[in-house]
Amino acid sequence: MAFTERDEARQKRHRRLRARIAGTADRPRLAVYRSLSQIYAQVIDDRSGRTLVAASSLEGKAGKAKKSEAAKAVGAKIAEKAKAAGIEEVIFDRGGYRYHGRVKALADAARSNGLRF
């Protein structure tokens, strides 16, 4: 798979970020992936290598929502699923993306629904 220069730069930023942060069982990592039309979030325990909960904009998509609205819905859904799994505090991994737009909308929605980071 050929990557664009922009995606290679994002992956390089993500590798730098991942060198500093890692999810544990006590405080797992909330990882965000943003494609052109969708957004995905996972809560990951890096020590055991397991995804604890996941949510995406593909779940229960009702009509054509704006991308930022879909990101807010994913943030609320991931917070709800995490709380149900007994997770209240996470480390936020923005995946090399700038913290604005859809990534910020997802983070703000997760925070407002009770997830701490």
Side-chain angles (χ1 to χ4, degrees):
M1 179 178 198
F3 293 108
T4 62
E5 288 181 29
R6 175 178 276 184
D7 196 47
E8 285 176 359
R10 182 196 68 81
Q11 288 181 342
K12 191 174 178 180
R13 284 190 303 272
H14 193 211
R15 280 192 298 272
R16 278 198 311 261
L17 261 169
R18 291 285 290 119
R20 293 193 312 264
I21 64 172
T24 63
D26 298 334
R27 195 167 174 204
R29 175 171 58 99
L30 173 59
V32 175
Y33 175 72
R34 189 191 67 162
S35 73
L36 194 61
S37 57
Q38 309 296 336
I39 192 159
Y40 307 85
Q42 294 180 319
V43 176
I44 303 165
D45 177 4
D46 288 315
R47 295 228 172 114
S48 66
R50 290 185 29 227
T51 297
L52 306 173
V53 292
S56 77
S57 56
L58 294 170
E59 295 175 9
K61 193 164 185 173
K64 268 186 93 75
K66 287 187 176 180
K67 291 178 185 179
S68 58
E69 294 299 320
K72 287 178 189 173
V74 171
K77 177 74 77 183
I78 197 77
E80 177 185 311
K81 286 183 176 182
K83 286 174 73 176
I87 301 163
E88 294 183 9
E89 193 168 359
V90 296
I91 296 172
F92 189 69
D93 176 8
R94 59 188 172 86
Y97 301 106
R98 289 190 342 178
Y99 185 79
H100 81 124
R102 290 190 281 161
V103 175
K104 186 176 187 301
L106 187 145
D108 290 344
R111 272 196 199 101
S112 67
N113 281 284
L115 208 54
R116 291 193 321 263
F117 53 93

